[in-house]
Structure formats: structure tokens, C-alpha cells
Amino acid sequence: MSSHELGRWVPARPEDLAVMFAKADFPWWIAGGYAIEMAVGRELRPHGDLDVLVLRRDQTLVRDMLSDWDMHVADPPGVGWLRPWRSGEALEQPLHDIWCRRTPEAPWSVQLMLDEAEGAHWVSRRTRRVRLPLERVGRTSPTGIPYLAPEVQLFYKAKATRDKDETDFEAVLPLLDEPQRVWLSDSIAVTSPDHPWRQRLGPIDRT
């Protein structure tokens, strides 16, 4: 089933989400293409949705905060099937992709993504070998909106690159410092050792 058959999208803006999450007492980050745009400080392309990343351990807090929203989880992920995410239900791996809208009649506006954590470390849902201290996972925009660090977002985009992912990579590449490039190259190597982005990240100084 295509996303079109699942209903239309009118994505919220990062500013809208910041208002919705203003009272959140858990970490969250704008993700996807908007995160890359916030890193480079300009618009790059149109967006079909708005992604926000939260930690799986905080899912109950998110569900309670959006208790009056209509929320559906992709189960199984990547197949095109959605089912309601009921209040009080704990989503276990591999479930991580949740579509959100204000009412059943409204268009989808937010795509909520769950990721893993161990203590003070973020852990990729794709492999536990890729991780970072939580304080390095995000950045904050000049307007105070948290967003996913570009190297983390690019790691996720590297799985199956599309034209829009290439656009995002080229835009943010000049802004990555050496530690960011090292982490991104090493992280991509865990799942895709021959990925072309690794060469384009340039020679890595490990001295």
C-alpha cells in the first residue's frame, strides 16, 4: 500500500512542532530533511512529511502528551501497513515508525520515529554498534528548536540514498568537521563498507 493510499500528508513545520512539544520533559529532535536544512540554515527542497525523533524509553511520555491525536504505527515496518497505536501500548523493536494526525479526518502531519538508548548513550535502531553520547546527538537552531545532528541524520539517509538524500549530503558536507566526518564514515562502514559517501567524506585523519 502506498503512502497516498494511506491518506494525504500536510506536514507540520518545525515551528509548529516546537509549540506542540514545548512542555515535553524528554529529549526530542527534528529529523529528516528538515534537520539538514536547520544545519545549513536555508531551505533546500520541498518536504513530504515532518520527522521527529524520540527515544523509545520515552514513548509513554510522548503518547500521553499527544493523547488526543490519532496515531498509527507501521507494523511491520516498511511494508505499508498501519494500525492504531493505542494509549498504554508499549512498542517494542522493530516497531519505530508512527504516523500522527490530529483527528482521523485530518491529514497526516508528523512522522514520529523511535530510537534506542543505553544510559547516557543514543544507540541506532539499525545496529547497536553505532552509538553516540546523547549530548552529541542533537543541535539547537537559533530559534531554540532541537534537531538531529547532521552526521546522525546522514547515517540514516545512507541506507538507500535517493536524489533528495544526495542533495542533503552535498549541502551539509562542507559543514562537517573532522570528528563528524570520522564518526559518519566509521558508522556507515558498519553496515555499508563500500558506500560511495565514505570516499566523498575525504581522507580521514586518525592521528
Side-chain angles (χ1 to χ4, degrees), residues 85-179:
W85 181 26
R86 305 298 186 189
S87 180
E89 178 190 5
L91 301 179
E92 305 294 342
Q93 291 182 308
L95 303 181
H96 67 273
D97 182 5
I98 303 153
W99 291 28
C100 311
R101 56 190 175 186
R102 292 188 178 274
T103 70
E105 295 75 30
W108 303 107
S109 58
V110 175
Q111 191 162 10
L112 182 68
M113 312 297 287
L114 301 181
D115 231 334
E116 312 308 315
E118 291 181 359
H121 284 76
W122 162 86
V123 180
S124 170
R125 62 180 174 271
R126 291 187 182 157
T127 170
R128 306 192 79 80
R129 295 168 58 192
V130 173
R131 57 183 60 215
L132 267 177
L134 281 171
E135 65 266 19
R136 289 181 54 191
V137 171
R139 305 286 187 272
T140 304
S141 76
T143 58
I145 302 175
Y147 63 92
L148 205 59
E151 66 269 27
V152 178
Q153 187 58 66
L154 289 176
F155 165 74
Y156 277 126
K157 284 178 169 288
K159 180 180 179 181
T161 53
R162 302 150 295 182
D163 288 346
K164 65 180 182 179
D165 302 316
E166 293 291 342
T167 296
D168 292 347
F169 179 83
E170 289 295 338
V172 82
L173 179 60
L175 305 180
L176 300 180
D177 61 22
E178 190 71 12

Side-chain angles (χ1 to χ4, degrees), residues 21-37:
F21 279 51
K23 296 183 179 180
D25 56 355
F26 52 84
W28 60 274
W29 305 271
I30 296 291
Y34 275 115
I36 299 297
E37 288 188 348

Side-chain angles (χ1 to χ4, degrees), residues 40 61 125 134 196 203 205:
V40 301
L61 300 176
R125 62 180 174 271
L134 281 171
D205 182 4

